[in-house]
Every structure is written in structure tokens, then in C-alpha cells.
Amino acid sequence: MKTQKIILTLALASSLLLTTRVFAQEPPLMSKEEHERMDSLAQVDKNDQVKKQNTKNQEKMSDLKTKKSDAQVKAKEASRVERDANSAAKESKNAYRAEKKAQKSRKAADAQKKKAAAAKEKSDNN
């Protein structure tokens, strides 16, 4: 009985090792058509990925071009506003100078008028 169990155990273990070795040595074989089909599917998938990437790149470039043109428009507008502000500042400065000059002239005229009035009064008194 003991020897029979030992023999059966050894037989079972050896058959298990033998079948494991046999299965491990034989890779699953694919036919040429299956290889070609797998390659063509991989190529189609790769082409799809390339097309998607190209589409994404084109969209990004389009967005960037739009943003660039918007920025240029804003820059032109800012430049125009700055020119207008500078022009208004110059006009204001010139107006200030002209008013200051006019006030000085009015003061001088008033002083001259007072001198003339004083001189007339003196001549009337003499």
C-alpha cells in the first residue's frame, strides 16, 4: 500500500512536470494570415492616431493664430489710445500755456490802464 502510494505520487508528479515542460516549450503558433491581419490592424490604428494628432495640431495652430491676431488688434488699439492721450496732453499743455500768457497780458494791460488813468488824472489836475 505504501509503495503503491509512493509510485502513484511519483507518477503523478513526473507526468505533471513532463506536461508542464511540453506546454512551456511550444509557443502558440499563428498563421501568416493572422500575422498579416494583426499587422494591418496595428497599422490602421497607428494611422488613426497620426490623423488625430495632426487634427489636434492643426486646431492648436488655428487657435494660436487667432489669439495672435486678437493680440495684434488689441496692441493697435492700445497704441491708438496712447497716441490720442499724448495728443490730448499736448493740447492741454498748449492751452495752459496760452491761458497763462493771456493772463499775463491782461495783467500788463490792467497795469498799463491804471498808469494811464493815473497819468490822465495828474494831467487833469495840472
Side-chain angles (χ1 to χ4, degrees):
M1 185 80 164
K2 283 186 176 183
T3 55
Q4 189 179 6
K5 283 185 180 179
I6 291 174
I7 291 175
L8 284 176
T9 305
L10 285 175
L12 183 63
S14 64
S15 66
L16 182 65
L17 287 175
L18 184 62
T19 57
T20 304
R21 183 173 284 179
V22 169
F23 282 124
Q25 289 179 357
E26 291 185 30
L29 298 175
M30 292 186 358
S31 67
K32 187 175 181 181
E33 292 93 18
E34 289 174 335
H35 276 291
E36 289 173 357
R37 193 171 130 251
M38 294 284 282
D39 290 342
S40 68
L41 288 175
Q43 186 65 30
V44 167
D45 186 44
K46 186 178 179 182
N47 289 342
D48 286 343
Q49 288 178 353
V50 168
K51 286 180 184 177
K52 285 180 185 177
Q53 187 63 38
N54 287 340
T55 304
K56 284 182 183 178
N57 289 344
Q58 288 175 350
E59 288 174 357
K60 284 183 183 178
M61 288 301 293
S62 175
D63 289 345
L64 290 174
K65 285 180 182 178
T66 303
K67 287 181 182 178
K68 181 181 176 183
S69 66
D70 290 347
Q72 286 176 343
V73 167
K74 286 181 182 178
K76 285 182 181 179
E77 180 67 19
S79 175
R80 184 190 62 79
V81 168
E82 184 180 5
R83 278 194 314 267
D84 290 348
N86 287 340
S87 176
K90 277 186 181 179
E91 287 177 17
S92 174
K93 185 177 179 182
N94 289 339
Y96 172 75
R97 284 183 178 169
E99 181 61 29
K100 194 173 179 183
K101 203 175 208 181
Q103 285 179 0
K104 189 176 180 181
S105 295
R106 281 194 295 272
K107 271 187 179 179
D110 285 345
Q112 191 176 11
K113 182 180 170 186
K114 283 182 184 178
K115 282 183 182 179
K120 184 178 180 188
E121 195 175 312
K122 255 189 185 183
S123 69
D124 285 343
N125 286 339
N126 282 336

